[in-house]
Amino acid sequence: MVGGFLFTGLAMKLESKPFQELPDLDFICDEIGELSLPEGWKTTRTRFGGPKFTTPKFIIDLWCLRDHKNISRKELPPTIENYLATVPLTSQAIAYDLNRNCLLGEIWKESLISRTIRVHDSESFEVDRSVQVIKGYRKAVSLGYNFLG
């Protein structure tokens, strides 16, 4: 599991605030096989082409690491380390390894401590600057953090 949901959840926990966002969970996998969903789930596609599953209570995005736009653009091997190194914002540089039951990455920790979301990978940030500025600013404001974009 990767992304802003993890960062936001930890930030809210540190502040002893209730988590009020609709959970939007991002899962990375090696391959996406045939999927069978419970009754009431809807399937669409993410903007990157992977499956998106929605219910009234949460959203799940599923995608292959090799398809991540920053890894592909930089022609890097599809590893979680390369994913964490190429996300645009510090709040995105976090992952939870479901197999080992642990958090991965280091950059996100400084963001939580300093209460500041920053540009992490400037090349990836610049590729999609307008979207990343909005995402970073909204996330920072929602948490009461600073945004340095």
Side-chain angles (χ1 to χ4, degrees), residues 33-51:
E34 190 174 324
L35 301 166
S36 176
L37 298 174
E39 183 77 26
W41 289 51
K42 293 185 175 138
T43 304
T44 57
R45 291 276 172 200
T46 68
R47 62 186 168 134
F48 306 113

Side-chain angles (χ1 to χ4, degrees), residues 15-140:
E15 300 289 324
S16 299
K17 293 180 182 176
F19 193 84
Q20 297 180 357
E21 289 183 19
L22 175 67
D24 183 352
L25 309 170
D26 296 310
F27 288 92
I28 297 173
C29 60
D30 293 326
E31 295 292 330
I32 300 174
E34 190 174 324
L35 301 166
S36 176
L37 298 174
E39 183 77 26
W41 289 51
K42 293 185 175 138
T43 304
T44 57
R45 291 276 172 200
T46 68
R47 62 186 168 134
F48 306 113
K52 176 185 283 270
F53 312 112
T54 58
T55 72
K57 295 186 179 185
F58 54 89
I59 300 165
I60 296 175
D61 293 341
L62 185 61
W63 45 276
C64 293
L65 192 54
R66 70 174 179 276
D67 297 332
H68 190 264
K69 64 181 179 178
N70 298 326
I71 288 175
S72 299
R73 184 176 37 76
K74 293 183 176 197
E75 298 179 0
L76 297 171
T79 66
I80 193 66
E81 293 79 15
N82 285 336
Y83 167 80
L84 293 170
T86 61
V87 292
L89 302 170
T90 55
S91 58
Q92 299 166 327
I94 183 171
Y96 182 76
D97 186 322
L98 296 169
N99 293 323
R100 296 186 311 187
N101 196 29
C102 64
L103 288 166
L104 305 173
E106 295 295 322
I107 303 299
W108 60 270
K109 294 174 187 176
E110 191 276 326
S111 277
L112 282 178
I113 292 166
S114 67
R115 298 175 51 89
T116 302
I117 295 173
R118 307 174 188 278
V119 172
H120 172 51
D121 181 58
S122 57
E123 183 182 333
S124 296
F125 182 84
E126 290 300 327
V127 166
D128 206 7
R129 183 178 182 80
S130 60
V131 170
Q132 296 306 326
V133 167
I134 292 168
K135 283 175 100 174
Y137 180 76
R138 283 183 180 163
K139 177 71 69 181

